Amino acid sequence: MGEVIAGVGVSHIPALGAAMEVGQEGPAGTVFATFEPVREWVERLDLDTLIVIYNDHASAFSLELYPTFAIGAAASYAPADEGYGARDVPDCEGDVDLSWHLIDSVIPEGFDLAICQQLDVDHGFTVPLTVLYGRPQEWPVRVVPIAVNVVQQPTPSAQRCFDLGRAIGRAIASFPENRRVGVVGTGGMSHQLQGQRAGHINQDFDHRFLAGIADNPASLTSLSNRDYIREAGSEGAELVMWLVMRGAMSETVKVAYSGYHVPVSNTGAGVIALESLLAQ
Ligand code: DHB
Ligand code: FE
């Protein structure tokens, strides 16, 4: 049986991935130290597969073709060339059987994901792997990518993202083989990279989000996409992907770790590590 062991919400800041890629670490008080505890934690969990909920930043998709939700069903995923060469990280091995089980489960439930048997994954996907696992020769887990459109308006609502997560959680529980699954929601926290509010960071909102996601996700799913853009910035709206992750987990969860750091790049950099508590 598949089991959701853990969930992670984590920013996917390219500059942080680049710094970690060349081995930069740092003492207490730095952004590196903020993320470091998650590595030990995730290693202890000994996961088989990560389902990574991420957004493509017009790398594999373009404004000519933007699926609202998409799922990978490939044997491997290469890092995307985002215009300056692909990141120097290993390809990711796909968990093809779990991909098709998710497809066969969630589409009949009404979540019409586009099926991708070829998919390059950009920093939205690969930077969180670097944050979680550092610089291995091979990634120690297999993966299932699930892409959410947060680029081309209108984007799916926070509630819809959470409901997709619930369907993913049910699908994992009905998988006939044993799998220790982690679900990762990437992106955020608050940031806006464009327009008049470029540079917008809202630390109060980010802290409210970190506090709410474990024990009160309804306080976050009730927000509209306008609320997300107003509070967290146009790219801070990536946070809805953390709600897919939260939806896939048990109703009650334990917060194993949470961290937040400003300033780094243009973004409120955050991470939360959650463990499932099965209903008693
Ligand atoms: C940054 C953050 C993002 O989420 C992204 O996709 C690109 C850049 C940043 O903080 O620089
Ligand atoms: Fe992003």
Side-chain angles (χ1 to χ4, degrees):
M1 184 187 118
E3 204 181 341
V4 179
I5 304 291
V8 182
V10 59
S11 301
H12 57 219
I13 300 167
L16 190 60
M20 289 176 169
E21 216 176 283
V22 296
Q24 282 192 16
E25 305 294 338
T30 65
V31 67
F32 301 104
T34 301
F35 284 96
E36 207 175 78
V38 209
R39 287 204 187 153
E40 275 170 37
W41 171 79
V42 85
E43 194 179 332
R44 261 187 286 122
L45 295 175
D46 194 24
L47 301 171
D48 300 310
T49 299
L50 283 188
I51 298 178
V52 182
I53 322 296
Y54 77 109
N55 71 294
D56 175 88
H57 301 72
S59 307
F61 307 131
S62 73
L63 294 185
E64 288 152 9
L65 197 169
Y66 238 101
T68 300
F69 295 115
I71 182 167
S76 82
Y77 304 92
D81 182 347
E82 300 181 47
Y84 37 84
R87 288 191 68 214
D88 184 19
V89 293
D91 288 4
C92 308
E93 187 186 345
D95 188 340
V96 181
D97 289 345
L98 184 58
S99 280
W100 280 108
H101 178 75
L102 291 174
I103 290 164
D104 287 336
S105 305
V106 304
I107 291 179
E109 281 201 39
F111 295 91
D112 303 327
L113 282 64
I115 301 166
C116 308
Q117 299 198 56
Q118 204 282 326
L119 182 64
D120 291 348
V121 286
D122 75 7
H123 69 270
F125 186 103
T126 62
V127 166
L129 290 185
T130 302
V131 171
L132 292 177
Y133 295 111
R135 296 184 296 160
Q137 290 284 316
E138 287 178 11
W139 300 118
V141 283
R142 290 193 286 164
V143 299
V144 175
I146 296 183
V148 177
N149 167 34
V150 295
V151 172
Q152 169 70 67
Q153 297 295 329
T155 58
S157 69
Q159 183 66 54
R160 180 73 173 158
C161 288
F162 185 80
D163 291 345
L164 171 63
R166 309 278 316 148
I168 291 169
R170 286 190 291 275
I172 295 166
S174 70
F175 189 58
E177 296 169 40
N178 283 339
R179 283 288 190 291
R180 292 174 64 79
V181 176
V183 183
V184 184
T186 93
M189 299 187 87
S190 60
H191 62 301
Q192 173 144 344
L193 304 177
Q194 55 184 319
Q196 286 183 358
R197 289 203 311 161
H200 171 82
I201 290 179
N202 184 343
Q203 298 194 44
D204 286 345
F205 180 79
D206 289 343
H207 285 299
R208 261 186 285 144
F209 192 95
L210 282 171
I213 191 153
D215 296 333
N216 191 6
S219 68
L220 306 174
T221 56
S222 61
L223 300 179
S224 70
N225 286 352
R226 269 174 186 271
D227 293 332
Y228 275 97
I229 291 171
R230 187 185 323 102
E231 294 287 345
S234 53
E235 280 73 41
E238 290 175 341
L239 281 169
V240 294
M241 295 180 292
W242 294 33
L243 293 171
V244 182
M245 172 277 287
R246 183 64 187 88
M249 299 192 72
S250 54
E251 209 154 307
T252 48
V253 293
K254 178 183 142 196
V255 180
Y257 176 72
S258 118
Y260 185 72
H261 188 93
V262 171
V264 52
S265 185
N266 302 298
T267 297
V271 60
I272 196 155
L274 304 174
E275 291 175 24
S276 289
L277 296 175
L278 296 180
Q280 305 290 314

